[in-house]
Amino acid sequence: MQYRMLGRDLRVSSVGLGCMGMSHAYGKPVDIKEAERLIAGAIDLGYTFFDTAEVYGTPENPHHNEEMLGKLLKPYRNNVVIATKFGIGFDMTSAQTNKPLIPNSRPDVIRKSVEGSLKRLGTDHIDLYYQHRNDPDVPIEEVAGVMSDLIAEGKITHWGLSEANEDNIRRANAVCLVTAIQNRYSMMARHYESLFPVLKELNIGFVAFSPLANGFLSAKYDKSSVFEKDTDYRSIMPQFNSDSYDKNKELLGLINEMAEKKKCTPAQLSLAWMLCKEPFIVPIPGTRKTDRLTENAGSADIVLSESEIKIIDTALDNMEMSEVFGGSKILKE
C-alpha cells in the first residue's frame, strides 16, 4: 500500500475503506465474524484509513457501524485514521428505501454527536470529523467555530465537509482550517472536478466516496444482477436498471479496454484514473469481500500517464451514459 497526505499533516493509505456498506444501504449488516476478518485483512494489506458515520446503521440499531468499528479497530487504534460524520438524520416516517435526509448542525447537536461517536468508537479522539451535509439553517462559520473548539479540547484532530461546494469550503476554512472534503466522485459523476483548483490553493484533500459508482464500474454486475429490496439501495439506483447496461456499454468497453492494456481489473483502472489525476485524491471504496480489498489496494500501484488520463476524460466527455445514483433527498427540518 502507498500513502498520501490529506491537508497539511493527516497521513492515510492511498486507498481507504468506506465502511458504510457493512451496516447500511447494501443489504443486511455483515456478520460480525466476517467483518472482523475483513478489517484484519485490510490492516494486513496496509489500509490505515477507515470511514464511517453516526447514521450508518439499521432501524433496529441506528449506530451499528460505529459500534462495530470501535470494537474491531481497537487492537489497531494507534495505527489507523478513523473518520466519522455528524449533522444528518433520516426521515424515518418515509417508506422509501432511500430515506430522505434531515440536516441538523446546531452546536448543541454537534456536541451530543461527538460525545456519542467517541463512546461508540471507543476512542478519546476522532481523527477526521466531517459535517455530513450542509445545514442551511446554521452558518458554516458557526459549525467551523465548534470544530475549532473541539480541536482545542482534543476531541477531534482534523475536520472536513461532505458534499461541499466552493463557497462553503472557503468560508469554513477561513475560520478553522479544513483538512478534507468528502464528495461523490467517479467516472460517472465528475461534477466536483471544478473544485480541484480550490483544493490545491487551500491545501485540502479530496476523499472520493462512491468511486466505483456503487460498484457498477467494477464490471462485476450485469442485467441478471438482483439486489435485496428495501435494504439495498442498488435496487433503486438508476445505473443498475436493466436498460442502463446498454446505455453504459461504451463506458464499460472503455474501462475494459484500458484495463486490459494496463494489465489490471476494471475496478483498479477506475480507481487508478482518479489517483493519478491529483495527489490529494483518496478514494474510499466499500466492500464486504477480502479479495476486493486486495484488488482495490492494488490500484495504487497502477500508473496512468497524463496522456492516458486525457484520452479517458475526452472519451467520458463524449459518450452516452445512464443516470447514476446521486444521493438521498435532503429535507428541511
Side-chain angles (χ1 to χ4, degrees), residues 78 172 303:
N78 293 334
V303 178

Side-chain angles (χ1 to χ4, degrees), residues 13 18 29 33 50 57 67 80 119 123 139 141 155 158 170 190 193-194 198 222 226-227 248 256 282 298 316 321:
S13 49
K33 290 295 184 183
F50 297 84
E67 291 176 355
V80 298
K119 183 177 180 180
T123 185
E141 291 84 356
K155 293 182 177 180
H158 305 79
R170 289 191 181 279
R190 299 170 59 204
E193 289 184 344
S194 61
V198 179
D222 58 31
V226 177
F227 304 103
N248 293 310
N256 281 311
V282 176
L316 294 175
M321 291 185 197

Side-chain angles (χ1 to χ4, degrees), residues 102-104 106 135 137 331-333:
I102 302 173
N104 189 340
R106 297 195 310 270
D135 185 343
D137 294 329
L331 300 180
K332 188 172 182 179
E333 189 177 24

Side-chain angles (χ1 to χ4, degrees), residues 7-8 165-174 177-181 195-205 280:
R8 289 154 180 79
N165 60 30
E166 180 177 352
D167 179 59
N168 268 12
I169 292 169
R170 289 191 181 279
R171 289 166 54 198
N173 193 68
L177 293 178
V178 174
T179 292
I181 64 165
L195 291 177
F196 290 175
V198 179
L199 302 180
K200 287 180 185 178
E201 174 195 340
L202 301 178
N203 195 11
I204 294 173
F280 54 75

Side-chain angles (χ1 to χ4, degrees), residues 201-220:
E201 174 195 340
L202 301 178
N203 195 11
I204 294 173
F206 187 115
V207 177
F209 76 85
S210 297
L212 297 175
N214 309 100
F216 184 84
L217 298 176
S218 69
K220 303 287 186 182

